[in-house]
Structure formats: structure tokens, C-alpha cells
Amino acid sequence: MINFQDVAVDVASKTAWVQAGATLGQLYYAIAQKSSTLAFPAGVCPRYGTMQRKHGLAADNVVDAVFIDAKGRTLGRSSMGEDMFWAVRGGGGNTFGVAVAWKVKLVAVPEKVTVFRVRRTLEQNATTITLLTGSAKYKGKSDYVQKPISETVWEGVWKKLDELGPLAGALVMIPYGGKMAEIPASSLPFPHRAGNLFLIQYDVFWNEDGAEAEERHVDWIREMYSYMTPYVSQNPRGAYMNYRDLDIGMNAVEGKTSYREARVWGVKYFKSNFDRLVRVKTAVDPENVFRNEQSIPPFSL
């Protein structure tokens, strides 16, 4: 998507058209060139402040899209219909087609606070990048926490973190609540709204080559995940789809994937929204042209 990186900001309407190949840095820069009091609540991975408690997710602020479906048609929101538009905003990657551009709603932020947060965040992120960019291999997992976790449990976490040495393993806690709790779980495919205190992102990094090193690090993160089982969401044990985790289930590598097989991982990412995603997939891509290990299958499969 390197040839699709344009960002067009409209200050008057507080919107921007963002081509799908643009990085978040390019989006933030384009907005800053036009306004010091507008921003976009994108992901937390670039550490651009966690605005989701005030403004919701990036997907909550998408108002239109340019999309190519399995038949090669170029569609907008009005031509794809509300069910497809609902599904493509966080419904399993390129499960339904290819997004070419998004129209997003920009949010107002106090000018002085914005400048302070960006400067402070960039300094922190520079340190993180320096420490982690040497890591060639990575695995991540995720959990949702709905009840406070005791100090004794956290002491066990600290011990587990010490097992691999500095910077090999990490837990990132991302706060929920606020706007996240106000938006209904069915408003988008992403369902993890009210009732969640925070998301845990488990990370493990390593540089060593060979099966032994990979097994040691992957075993560590799976053990950490197992240790946290009693203290996180249950029935289903939720997961965040952008931290793709094939441990929780995957489609058949060869042959056809059934709805029953896919539902094992599907309800962890999407809860009851999974069934609606399957209905949309069945309508727009019945031959399953767009598929991967954790793509939404059509019901016919």
C-alpha cells in the first residue's frame, strides 16, 4: 500500500480522508500542519496518548470508506450498505475486501495540553524504540480485566517478568471506561466495552536464532497467560483482535473452515457480534476469496 499514503485534512468539517497506506505518523503530521487543536484518537501502540476513554477507538470515528470487494467493485459507505460498513470497521482485517481509504472524524483537544503530551510521548517512545528495535522475533497475547487484581497476584507477575531478563517480556495495561463504556457493544464488531477495567497486552521479544530460543520465549508468554486465567474475563475469555493470537484457535490451513471451528476464536475477539460478521461475510464474499488463519468464514463453509 506504499502508493496510497495521501492524507487530506478538512479543518472546517473536522474530517480527514486517509489513504490506507498512510502511517499514523503521517496522519498526525498532516493534522498538525493544519490545526493545533484537532487530533485523531488512533491506536495506543505509537504512544500518542490514550484518548479512547474520551473519544473512543479509531474505528468509532470512521465515517466513510473506499473499499474494493470480492467482485472488484469500488464501494463507498452508501453503496456498500450499513451492514458491510459496520463489518469493515474492525471486523477481521481484510476479511471482506481491501480498504483503499478511510474518512475519519477529527476531535478537538486543548492546544497546550496537546503540545505537552506529544513532546512527552515522543521522548518516551524514542526510548522504547531504541530498546526494542533490535528484537527480530515477537509474540503477543491479550486479556480483559473486569475485577481488581490483588497485590499478591501482581507480585507473581513481577517474578514471571524477571525470569527472562530485562526487556524480554512485558505487560502493557491499557485503561478502559469513559467513552469506551458508553458505546454499545454492538455498535461495531469490537465488543469489549462496558465492564472492562483495562486490557492487558502480553509481549515477548527475542533475538536468538533456533528452535530452543523460540520455544523458551513462547513457553514463557503462554505460562504468563495461564497464570492470569483466574483474574481475567471468562465465558468467553476475551481477546483483542489486533494482537493476533493463533493459540486461541485458527481456521483450517488446508481445506474448508467451518463456522463451528471459527467460532472458537471468533467469540473471543467479537463475542456475539461474530454471528453478524458471518452473515455479512456470507453475503459479500461467499466464496471466501479474502481469507487467512483468523478471517471470518462464510456460513456455507
Side-chain angles (χ1 to χ4, degrees), residues 5-9 16-19 22-23 26-28 30-31 34:
Q5 295 185 323
D6 289 346
V7 179
V9 176
W17 272 104
V18 186
Q19 290 190 337
T23 65
Q26 290 170 318
L27 171 58
Y28 299 152
I31 296 171
K34 294 291 187 71

Side-chain angles (χ1 to χ4, degrees), residues 56-93:
L57 299 170
D60 293 322
N61 292 279
V62 171
V63 295
D64 204 344
V66 177
F67 202 77
I68 300 174
D69 71 1
K71 297 179 180 179
R73 299 176 299 181
T74 301
L75 307 173
R77 179 173 182 172
S78 59
S79 55
M80 73 175 74
E82 284 303 299
D83 274 350
M84 189 169 179
F85 185 63
W86 174 86
V88 301
R89 291 175 294 162

Side-chain angles (χ1 to χ4, degrees), residues 8 17 20 30 39 43 54 67 72 111 123 133 138 146 159 172 181 214 263-264 277 285:
W17 272 104
K54 185 173 178 62
F67 202 77
E111 183 173 7
E123 290 170 356
T133 48
Y138 165 82
Q146 299 173 336
K159 291 178 182 177
V172 180
E214 177 176 333
R263 199 174 189 277
V264 173
L277 288 169
D285 186 15

Side-chain angles (χ1 to χ4, degrees), residues 139-144 153 156-157 160-161 163 170-171 199-204 217-234 236-240 243 245-249 264-265 268-269:
K139 180 172 175 61
K141 298 177 77 68
S142 61
D143 261 321
Y144 284 93
V153 174
V157 170
K160 292 290 295 178
L161 285 170
E163 291 178 0
L171 270 69
L199 164 70
I200 299 179
Q201 174 187 344
Y202 307 94
D203 300 306
V204 67
H217 287 82
V218 172
D219 283 350
W220 176 88
I221 197 171
R222 287 172 176 166
E223 289 169 6
M224 177 71 85
Y225 185 77
S226 178
Y227 171 80
M228 294 298 292
T229 300
Y231 317 111
V232 297
S233 62
Q234 306 288 331
R237 183 175 184 174
Y240 177 45
Y243 306 151
D245 182 7
L246 300 186
D247 290 348
I248 67 174
V264 173
W265 56 262
K268 297 177 185 293
Y269 289 143

Side-chain angles (χ1 to χ4, degrees), residues 175-192:
Y176 275 42
K179 187 77 170 180
M180 292 291 289
E182 297 169 8
I183 298 173
S186 61
S187 66
L188 288 182
F190 176 89
H192 306 287

